Amino acid sequence: MRIFTGNAHPKLGNAICNHLSIDPGRCEVGHFADGESKVRILDDVRGLDVFIVQSTCPPVNEALMELLVMVDALRRASAKRITAVVPYFGYARQDRKHEGRVPITAKLTANLITAAGVDRIVCVDLHAAQIQGFFDIPLDHLYGSPVIKSYLKDKEYEDAVVVSPDVGSMKMAHGYAKALGYGLAVVEKRRLTDMDVEAGYVIGDLKNKDVVLVDDMISTAGSMASAIAIARDNGAKSVTVCATHGLFVGPAYDRLLQAKPDEIVVTDTVPLPPAPEGLNVTVLSVAKLLAEAIMRIHHNKSLSLLFV
Ligand code: R5P
């Protein structure tokens, strides 16, 4: 077995290797003078079970192309099986035609990864679970929630309620509420543009509660910032924000500084841009979860116990 990592998130790749007590596979991943991706695998991989850890996170096109080129190199070097470990799967929000003459880029991305020669794929918290069906190869869909839930378990909230910042994350919020024994509420949100949302009202009682907002990702933080404001307006005692993927792009940190959550909890599926002073950000690692998944895939063992 060999585990390689591209440039998207080498820290996570190395942490996974640490958990498995193996050295990362040696490769050169860079650019030609004109910017094209340049890859050279330095280890012999003939007949081996190979894993590539590469989140397709911002800059998404760069990370995706690097992944495709690495797969091609490994395929041509006669790897027996190639598994793409993509903790954050970019383009996932373009998963349907919501208006005329727009692409379904999540499907295109799945096609590209498969055509490059990937045999199976591992993802964490796909934006929409149906994206699994965009792949005609086995896909293992893991969740960041076991990692976040075990962190929340140690909190001494007096009266906590899990709040979904929109209807789409309701199922995830329900899972947290059930596992932790918290109440459940939802914010009604409308998306105006890719950068802006408008949060309307809240269904549920937040007065004097410790509010735990959960979502799959924080991108520009429009959704979370407006949900925090609504929680405060409805009398929340404290507001903790949890998300598996902390992208924090564009105005995200400014919006969160203004919204002032008590704590932001994310995992390390993507590398975090340095947080400004004034934001209390906790980063939990999914390295152990992914290491266990890789080991189980390698030994053809079930992954179900990783889902709780
Ligand atoms: C939306 O459906 C997702 O679950 C997230 O709420 C959203 O993508 C987060 O984006 P932003 O942080 O830009 O509001």
Side-chain angles (χ1 to χ4, degrees), residues 28-276:
E28 292 169 353
V29 185
H31 295 100
F32 288 101
D34 59 2
E36 291 173 355
S37 293
K38 178 183 177 186
V39 167
R40 192 163 154 249
I41 306 297
L42 303 175
D43 288 329
D44 180 9
V45 293
R46 189 173 292 271
L48 294 188
D49 192 15
V50 171
F51 296 81
I52 307 171
V53 179
Q54 178 86 333
S55 272
T56 50
C57 53
V60 180
N61 293 348
E62 175 71 18
L64 176 62
M65 194 62 201
E66 209 174 87
L67 171 65
L68 300 175
V69 176
M70 287 180 81
V71 173
D72 190 69
L74 288 162
R75 172 65 56 216
R76 291 175 196 280
S78 303
K80 187 170 86 191
R81 178 172 71 169
I82 300 172
T83 301
V85 180
V86 187
Y88 172 74
F89 180 78
Y91 282 118
R93 286 181 291 177
Q94 296 183 48
D95 61 344
R96 65 191 178 284
K97 285 186 75 169
H98 63 284
E99 60 183 338
R101 299 186 295 281
V102 295
I104 304 181
T105 317
K107 171 62 180 153
L108 172 65
T109 304
N111 287 349
L112 288 171
I113 291 174
T114 309
V118 167
D119 296 292
R120 62 185 305 137
I121 180 159
V122 178
C123 296
V124 182
D125 280 317
L126 283 164
H127 175 64
Q130 308 87 283
I131 292 171
Q132 292 171 77
F134 290 3
F135 288 90
D136 285 327
I137 52 173
L139 184 150
D140 292 303
H141 189 198
L142 304 177
Y143 304 98
S145 55
V147 177
I148 299 178
K149 280 190 286 199
S150 80
Y151 174 77
L152 291 174
K153 262 185 193 137
D154 294 335
K155 298 271 175 193
E156 286 171 358
Y157 296 131
E158 277 168 24
D159 195 359
V161 56
V162 178
V163 180
S164 174
D166 56 32
V167 175
S169 294
M170 198 54 197
K171 194 171 169 218
M172 174 183 264
H174 179 254
Y176 274 87
K178 197 169 163 210
L180 296 164
Y182 299 171
L184 183 62
V186 61
V187 172
E188 182 263 342
K189 171 186 106 177
R190 265 153 291 140
R191 183 162 284 288
L192 307 175
T193 66
D194 66 325
M195 294 275 283
D196 293 301
V197 301
E198 189 176 76
Y201 49 89
V202 62
I203 302 170
D205 178 19
L206 307 189
K207 195 156 176 57
N208 295 324
K209 309 270 187 195
D210 295 299
V211 163
V212 179
L213 280 158
V214 298
D215 208 346
D216 60 333
M217 71 171 87
I218 301 175
S219 182
T220 67
S223 309
M224 282 302 194
S226 46
I228 296 165
I230 290 226
R232 298 262 190 236
D233 288 350
N234 280 269
K237 187 163 74 177
S238 71
V239 183
T240 301
V241 164
C242 303
T244 304
H245 311 296
L247 298 175
F248 301 113
V249 299
Y253 280 147
D254 286 343
R255 285 173 167 175
L256 289 166
L257 277 169
Q258 234 181 330
K260 296 191 181 61
D262 294 84
E263 186 177 2
I264 300 169
V265 182
V266 289
T267 77
D268 60 354
T269 54
V270 298
L272 241 62

Side-chain angles (χ1 to χ4, degrees), residues 3 11-21 53 85 87 122 124 142-144 146-147 150 267-269 284-297 303 305-306 308:
I3 300 178
K11 195 173 160 196
L12 177 62
N14 292 336
I16 292 170
C17 289
N18 267 342
H19 276 287
L20 296 172
S21 305
V53 179
V85 180
V122 178
V124 182
L142 304 177
Y143 304 98
V147 177
S150 80
T267 77
D268 60 354
T269 54
L284 307 172
S285 186
V286 291
K288 192 168 166 222
L289 174 79
L290 290 170
E292 184 66 34
I294 287 172
M295 220 37 195
R296 288 183 163 269
I297 290 167
L303 264 66
L305 67 81
L306 304 179
V308 281

